[in-house]
């Protein structure tokens, strides 16, 4: 892909059918290795980036730092890049919208925002606020006027804050709010992951980490998963 517009369109097209792997580099070198190994697109990893700075994940990297890091990854290869931007670097819908706008300005082909309240003991935003945050992010993504995959994350299962039923309720709200892709990392089992996929109509991302690493890409494709992220597992 020679230019950004081609990258954006290719990334959007990947989410229309099939199932693909989205590896998560943590620096320029790992991005180039992943590209050379056959990756079709890349995404930053908030944990991986934080670890390179000697910091823990979840709320210890600033918006400016995360965007500068994403720019480095974007410049490292000719692949589309999506940004892992935690909670959007703020609590309000306006904070999320600003993060999405800035992601678009630096040339990213997408980004993800989660419903996690950052802190020592992470919690989850009230469901109504969580949906309003995604609504604002989706509107900002649409205002870019070009393909941009905005991924809405319900991280409460992974963080031990809520169960699969609430994750599905939140994802349905995020879907109605305009998200392009839905993501509830690490449900208890493949059966629960299948239930998530069947409950929504938008494409679903899966995190291939922990017990899910024993399954092949074809297993996720069989469930209807569109995108498989590796997160910080590498």
């Amino acid at each position: 892909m020679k230019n950004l517009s081609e990258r954006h369109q290719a990334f959007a097209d990947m989410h229309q059918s099939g199932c693909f792997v989205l590896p998560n580099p943590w620096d320029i070198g790992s991005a180039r290795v992943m590209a050379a190994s056959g990756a079709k697109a890349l995404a930053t990893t908030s944990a991986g980036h934080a670890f390179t700075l000697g910091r823990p994940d979840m709320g210890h990297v600033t918006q400016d730092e995360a965007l500068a890091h994403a720019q480095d990854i974007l410049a490292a290869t000719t692949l589309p890049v999506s940004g892992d931007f935690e909670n959007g670097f703020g609590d309000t819908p306006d904070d999320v919208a600003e993060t999405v706008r800035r992601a678009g300005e630096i040339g990213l082909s997408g980004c993800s925002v989660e419903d996690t309240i950052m802190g020592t003991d992470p919690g989850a935003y009230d469901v109504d606020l969580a949906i309003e945050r995604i609504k604002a992010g989706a509107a900002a993504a649409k205002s870019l006027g070009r393909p941009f995959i905005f991924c809405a994350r319900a991280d409460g299962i992974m963080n031990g804050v809520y169960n699969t039923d609430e994750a599905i309720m939140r994802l349905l709200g995020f879907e109605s709010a305009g998200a392009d892709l839905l993501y509830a990392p690490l449900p208890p089992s493949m059966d629960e992951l299948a239930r998530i996929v069947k409950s929504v109509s938008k494409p679903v991302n899966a995190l291939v980490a922990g017990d899910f690493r024993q399954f092949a890409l074809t297993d996720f494709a069989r469930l209807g998963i569109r995108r498989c992220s590796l997160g910080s597992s590498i």
Side-chain angles (χ1 to χ4, degrees):
M1 285 162 276
K2 296 180 180 179
N3 58 50
L4 284 177
S5 62
E6 289 176 335
R7 297 196 213 189
H8 302 328
Q9 189 59 58
F11 194 58
D13 291 344
M14 291 175 202
H15 292 81
Q16 298 307 305
S17 63
C19 182
F20 71 99
V21 176
L22 187 71
N24 302 86
W26 54 90
D27 60 13
I28 291 171
S30 58
R32 289 177 176 165
V33 169
M34 291 174 185
S37 300
K40 297 179 180 179
L42 303 170
T44 64
T45 157
S46 65
H49 179 212
F51 298 161
T52 67
L53 300 173
R55 304 174 197 170
D57 189 20
M58 304 182 78
H60 297 276
V61 173
T62 68
Q63 183 189 66
D64 286 343
E65 288 174 324
L67 287 164
H69 170 67
Q71 281 185 295
D72 288 341
I73 300 300
L74 183 63
T77 78
T78 60
L79 298 178
V81 176
S82 182
D84 174 5
F85 290 148
E86 298 189 324
N87 69 336
F89 306 105
D91 298 321
T92 71
D94 285 345
D95 291 327
V96 175
E98 180 194 8
T99 293
V100 172
R101 284 193 295 269
R102 294 189 67 187
E105 287 171 359
I106 67 170
L108 295 183
S109 297
C111 74
S112 63
V113 171
E114 59 199 64
D115 62 350
T116 306
I117 301 172
M118 298 297 164
T120 308
D121 186 18
Y125 293 107
D126 174 81
V127 64
D128 291 335
L129 175 57
I131 291 171
E132 285 303 309
R133 284 163 38 84
I134 296 305
K135 185 176 181 180
K142 298 297 185 293
S143 72
L144 296 174
R146 48 90 164 172
F148 186 94
I149 299 297
F150 179 55
C151 176
R153 296 178 50 152
D155 276 35
I157 302 174
M158 182 171 66
N159 295 334
V161 178
Y162 52 72
N163 61 18
T164 305
D165 288 338
E166 181 163 346
I168 289 172
M169 177 189 69
R170 287 171 177 254
L171 292 177
L172 287 169
F174 298 164
E175 180 175 76
S176 297
D180 302 298
L181 183 75
L182 304 170
Y183 187 11
L186 300 183
S189 66
M190 285 291 271
D191 287 342
E192 290 291 88
L193 181 59
R195 187 158 73 90
I196 290 170
V197 174
K198 291 176 182 176
S199 299
V200 299
S201 60
K202 292 287 182 70
V204 175
N205 188 103
L207 176 60
V208 184
D211 292 341
F212 288 94
R213 294 173 65 184
Q214 66 184 294
F215 299 102
L217 184 63
T218 51
D219 295 318
F220 291 99
R222 195 173 298 116
L223 295 186
I225 292 294
R226 187 59 45 80
R227 189 173 95 180
C228 290
S229 297
L230 303 181
S232 59
S233 62
I234 297 178

